[in-house]
Amino acid sequence: MSDTKPAKPGLIRRLFSPAARWSVFSLVVLGGLGGVIFWGGFNTFMEYTNRLEFCVSCHSMSTPYEEYKKSPHYTNASGVRAICSDCHVPKDWTAKLIRKVQATGELWHHFNGKLSTPEKFEEHRKEMATRVWAVMKATDSRECRNCHSYESMAFHKQTPRAREKMETALKNGETCIDCHKGIAHALPPRED
């Protein structure tokens, strides 16, 4: 009797065996399905957080929500309503993801009570507004331009003063936020 054990098939041979092929195939299929389900769930949740009801569900958003309801973005002659995400969340997926990560960081302040009262909100209004305006300026008012564009404006239907200001802004390369601060929310108090 020989002490030699039968030789094990080589690694390459084992990787290409029928059982291994089915295992790899199953792993790829299950991984693909899992990825699709995860991606779909992730995108669904991201879109859920863009809903007006979600945005104003925090008590710290009651002040900006009440201001917004008095603005032309809430009620206007055309009947088109812009909601929070239209102005504060980019449409581009990568920029949207970055903004959502930033918003998650802002939850820290919410849970620590930084804006828990109208007085605290007012105390931080200028800081918050300045931050939003800087982002809008840096992105050439990207979110405004999702709905408004110079190319589709009927300058001849604007008042002479508005038309002159818009044409001057266009010529000077200004962006929406340069002139339209306070369009949806109260301006911070001026420090003269």
Side-chain angles (χ1 to χ4, degrees), residues 27-45:
L27 185 63
V28 168
V29 168
L30 290 175
L33 285 173
V36 167
I37 290 168
F38 171 78
W39 191 256
F42 182 74
N43 277 316
T44 299
F45 181 74

Side-chain angles (χ1 to χ4, degrees), residues 31-145:
L33 285 173
V36 167
I37 290 168
F38 171 78
W39 191 256
F42 182 74
N43 277 316
T44 299
F45 181 74
M46 286 224 328
E47 289 308 313
Y48 174 79
T49 63
N50 279 346
R51 295 173 48 242
L52 177 66
E53 296 78 16
F54 180 85
C55 295
V56 299
S57 64
C58 297
H59 66 273
S60 60
M61 290 295 111
S62 59
T63 298
Y65 181 54
E66 291 305 316
E67 294 169 355
Y68 154 75
K69 289 194 315 187
K70 297 173 187 165
S71 79
H73 282 112
Y74 186 81
T75 303
N76 55 64
S78 68
V80 175
R81 178 172 290 163
I83 62 170
C84 307
S85 58
D86 292 325
C87 299
H88 295 283
V89 179
K91 299 284 185 234
D92 173 69
W93 198 87
T94 304
K96 180 190 301 186
L97 182 61
I98 291 167
R99 178 64 193 115
K100 293 294 183 175
V101 169
Q102 291 168 339
T104 302
E106 293 165 4
L107 288 174
W108 170 259
H109 300 293
H110 170 75
F111 291 118
N112 282 326
K114 183 175 180 178
L115 306 174
S116 60
T117 66
E119 295 78 22
K120 287 183 179 181
F121 188 90
E122 289 305 321
E123 179 184 335
H124 297 284
R125 181 185 289 274
K126 182 171 184 170
E127 163 196 341
M128 294 182 295
T130 302
R131 185 173 45 246
V132 171
W133 295 337
V135 169
M136 293 181 99
K137 179 82 171 160
T139 62
D140 192 24
S141 298
R142 169 185 56 209
E143 282 67 55
C144 300
R145 294 178 192 283

